[in-house]
Amino acid sequence: MEETTKTIDRLNDGAEKLAKAIRQGHRATSDVMIPIAFEEIRLAVEERFEEINRLKETKQADASTQKYEFTGKTQNYVGAILRQIRRISDGEIGGWIESEHNLSHQSDAWVFGNAKVSGNAKVSGDAWVSGDAWVFGNAKVSGNAKVSGDAWVSGDAWVYGDAWVYGDAKVSGGVIR
């Protein structure tokens, strides 16, 4: 019984010292240092969790503006490493692009099937690239344009408006309306 009383007194004394040290903003004795260190660690962990939650919220907000994601599948095509895409809204597997620069996250632009977009080429607006088509170089496909079949659009070509390039057509270095 006497030991219990001594332990309680010692704990109360330590609690009083800790409370005083916290109020004064410093460590009063070496007995208080360990609880303060644990408190500092607890606060640091809480701050880290808050930061992680803020980052998760930011990532979710960013994801809501993303139209597609990469599936993790890659292929080497004529020296370019292409990555397969998946539409986030419905999970549809798309075609192959070299980087996010190749396909806009805006509007309904999409790369279907085994179609490929590489280099500095860009698909935007409501344009579609499908089949085994390949858009590469500095080419641009935009508006409501469609490139399909085994068609190639390359160089500085710009296919836009309601243009449709299909079959075995090859367009390079010009503009088709």
Side-chain angles (χ1 to χ4, degrees), residues 64-123:
S64 68
T65 63
Q66 301 280 317
K67 176 171 50 182
Y68 60 89
E69 61 190 2
F70 293 105
T71 65
K73 292 183 179 178
T74 61
Q75 67 169 289
N76 187 332
Y77 187 74
V78 192
I81 302 298
L82 303 180
R83 303 187 305 171
Q84 190 174 45
I85 57 173
R86 173 180 29 245
R87 190 167 28 223
I88 292 173
S89 65
D90 61 7
E92 180 180 338
I93 299 297
W96 302 84
I97 63 176
E98 189 171 0
S99 74
E100 287 195 54
H101 166 79
N102 298 129
L103 178 61
S104 172
H105 282 282
Q106 308 301 314
S107 299
D108 288 327
W110 192 242
V111 179
F112 293 88
N114 199 39
K116 298 164 187 67
V117 182
S118 62
N120 290 320
K122 178 87 171 180
V123 179

Side-chain angles (χ1 to χ4, degrees), residues 94-96 111-116 128-134 147-151:
W96 302 84
V111 179
F112 293 88
N114 199 39
K116 298 164 187 67
W128 289 0
V129 180
S130 63
D132 289 314
W134 183 25
V147 179
S148 63
D150 292 317

Side-chain angles (χ1 to χ4, degrees), residues 15-85:
E16 287 173 16
K17 288 179 181 176
L18 176 60
K20 182 179 177 183
I22 290 172
R23 280 192 304 272
Q24 294 175 350
H26 67 286
R27 294 178 177 91
T29 67
S30 62
D31 293 339
V32 177
M33 188 182 319
I34 291 174
I36 287 179
F38 282 127
E39 179 66 9
E40 289 172 352
I41 291 169
R42 184 188 67 77
L43 290 172
V45 168
E46 280 182 10
E47 287 175 8
R48 183 66 179 144
F49 277 119
E50 287 174 8
E51 181 181 347
I52 288 169
N53 286 333
R54 279 192 305 272
L55 290 171
K56 283 181 182 177
E57 289 170 5
T58 301
K59 186 174 181 181
Q60 287 171 348
D62 288 346
S64 68
T65 63
Q66 301 280 317
K67 176 171 50 182
Y68 60 89
E69 61 190 2
F70 293 105
T71 65
K73 292 183 179 178
T74 61
Q75 67 169 289
N76 187 332
Y77 187 74
V78 192
I81 302 298
L82 303 180
R83 303 187 305 171
Q84 190 174 45
I85 57 173

